[in-house]
Amino acid sequence: MTAQLTAQKTSNLRLVAPLSGQLVPIEHVPDPVFAQKMVGDGISIDPLTQELLAPYEGEVIQLHPSSHAVTIRTPEGIELLMHIGLETVELRGQGFTPRVKLGDRVRRGDVLIEFDADYIAMHAKSLLTQVVVTNGDMVASMAHQSGLVTAGQDIFLELSLAGATGAVSEQVSGESTRSELIEVPNPTGLHARPAAVLVNLAKKYQSKIWLHRGDQRANAKSVVALLGLEVGRGDEVTLEAEGPDARDAIADLTEALRSGLGEEGAMAVAAPASIAQSALKAPPPQPRSSDPNIILGASAASGVAVGNTFRVRQQQIRVAETGATPEQERRKLEDAIAKAA
């Protein structure tokens, strides 16, 4: 029997942890696109298990070809993107085994993706796994837990939905224009990071904007929609815009796409200060201590450290070339032994 996913009058969603591990605030993720919430707001998990579970019931609406990212849509319409690790798209599926396919209905706790944590840790930037809401306009508030969580058991994220979100027709008047063919230069295509940059650039414009790949079309202001196009390196795409600033949108976004959206391995893109290339590539700022009694460490990824800290200093011992009398030297030795004791 196939269950139909229908919209429910639910004001709160309580999501169970998709992995066991340590919760990490999304702002601390060492990837500016996630840390600046360009993809969406949410939380990260430093995993201790190797099965990504469904945090809520829903439909699989996006599964990346590299199997490192999956999105489910809940019956309430919330889109949850789960991204295993950082820069894992470059593994091209190695270390990942999907257990679902596009269009599958899943229940809370179902296995979505199995992954080899040892392999990923050795070949990717980080194992930190992000869970973000990509359509945050449907969420009034978000609360997350902290500390360690157990997969499939602990509630790690609670969403309060915005009021009734009826189907509002967004009327945008103005001209319609379309770009010429654009060849995508990104080494791994439009995965989550460049897709998020494109979405944030597109949101500056009032016009409706779409990205075309062949006979497929996606809303250029939706990360999930862009990921669903599965645009790879060298693919040819076109942009379409309709609205009062359509021409400006097409001109700016065409140049951004051609130059790689600021991603390494592609030509730099001129972007607004909020998502400039230097900010995208720069590491998260490290706090500095002005107190000599406080030591600040630099971690590869935020987590928990348990134990004692010790301050190591090198002591310079000066020894006189010539000694004093035996009696004086003995008194110095006895004083030193007493001080050491």
Side-chain angles (χ1 to χ4, degrees):
M1 181 174 63
T2 304
Q4 296 293 327
L5 297 179
T6 56
Q8 300 174 359
K9 298 294 184 180
T10 306
S11 58
N12 292 292
L13 269 68
R14 306 183 74 209
L15 310 181
V16 298
L19 294 163
S20 296
Q22 177 73 32
L23 295 179
V24 178
I26 197 76
E27 296 87 352
H28 295 174
V29 173
D31 185 314
V33 170
F34 282 111
Q36 295 173 19
K37 303 180 182 178
M38 292 186 188
V39 181
D41 200 357
I43 195 165
S44 183
I45 305 175
D46 198 354
L48 299 174
T49 51
Q50 302 183 83
E51 290 183 336
L52 182 72
L53 308 183
Y56 203 80
E57 66 176 305
E59 177 186 357
V60 178
I61 62 171
Q62 182 271 327
L63 179 64
H64 197 278
S66 295
S67 304
H68 70 291
V70 62
T71 304
I72 65 172
R73 182 188 291 126
T74 74
E76 296 79 10
I78 298 296
E79 295 174 354
L80 300 170
L81 169 65
M82 286 155 280
H83 191 285
I84 303 172
L86 297 175
E87 299 186 4
T88 42
V89 66
E90 297 176 7
L91 301 182
R92 302 186 184 279
Q94 284 290 106
F96 299 95
T97 305
R99 295 303 181 195
V100 293
K101 61 184 184 299
L102 194 65
D104 281 356
R105 263 67 171 180
V106 295
R107 295 173 298 178
R108 183 182 305 189
D110 285 352
V111 179
L112 302 175
I113 299 172
E114 294 178 357
F115 58 94
D116 185 339
D118 291 338
Y119 180 86
I120 296 169
M122 292 292 292
H123 295 85
K125 180 178 179 180
S126 172
L127 268 171
L128 283 174
T129 297
Q130 289 58 247
V131 182
V132 297
V133 178
T134 61
N135 54 344
D137 54 317
M138 293 187 62
V139 178
S141 64
M142 180 182 299
H144 60 76
Q145 301 300 319
S146 59
L148 289 168
V149 290
T150 301
Q153 297 182 25
D154 296 335
I155 302 297
F156 82 117
L157 198 61
E158 187 166 352
L159 311 177
S160 295
L161 302 188
T165 55
V168 178
S169 177
E170 185 182 356
Q171 298 293 334
V172 178
S173 59
E175 64 178 331
S176 177
T177 185
R178 188 160 177 164
S179 73
E180 57 188 19
L181 286 174
I182 307 163
E183 183 175 337
V184 175
N186 300 71
T188 50
L190 294 186
H191 60 94
R193 184 185 294 112
V197 175
L198 180 60
V199 166
N200 279 267
L201 290 172
K203 286 181 177 178
K204 294 192 308 175
Y205 300 96
Q206 300 178 40
S207 300
K208 296 179 180 179
I209 305 171
W210 300 274
L211 185 71
H212 293 258
R213 175 178 174 266
D215 58 356
Q216 295 179 299
R217 185 178 82 162
N219 180 4
K221 298 182 181 181
S222 166
V223 173
V224 172
L226 291 179
L227 292 177
L229 281 183
E230 299 182 2
V231 177
R233 179 171 190 168
D235 286 351
E236 291 186 331
V237 298
T238 57
L239 286 161
E240 179 188 2
E242 179 183 344
D245 50 7
R247 287 185 178 275
D248 290 340
I250 291 297
D252 290 349
L253 298 182
T254 296
E255 179 59 28
L257 269 171
R258 279 184 174 151
S259 55
L261 295 162
E263 187 175 32
E264 186 176 354
M267 192 182 302
V269 58
S274 61
I275 51 172
Q277 181 191 3
S278 58
L280 289 174
K281 291 188 175 181
Q286 296 294 337
R288 298 182 180 275
S289 172
S290 59
D291 187 340
N293 296 315
I294 297 179
I295 302 172
L296 299 178
S299 59
S302 303
V304 174
V306 179
N308 299 318
T309 60
F310 298 90
R311 186 171 185 177
V312 179
R313 286 187 286 184
Q314 185 176 4
Q315 184 178 6
Q316 298 291 336
I317 300 176
R318 294 190 178 132
V319 180
E321 291 292 332
T322 58
T325 65
E327 292 78 10
Q328 291 173 324
E329 292 294 339
R330 179 172 295 280
R331 283 197 297 271
K332 290 180 181 179
L333 176 60
E334 290 172 351
D335 290 343
I337 292 173
K339 185 179 291 186

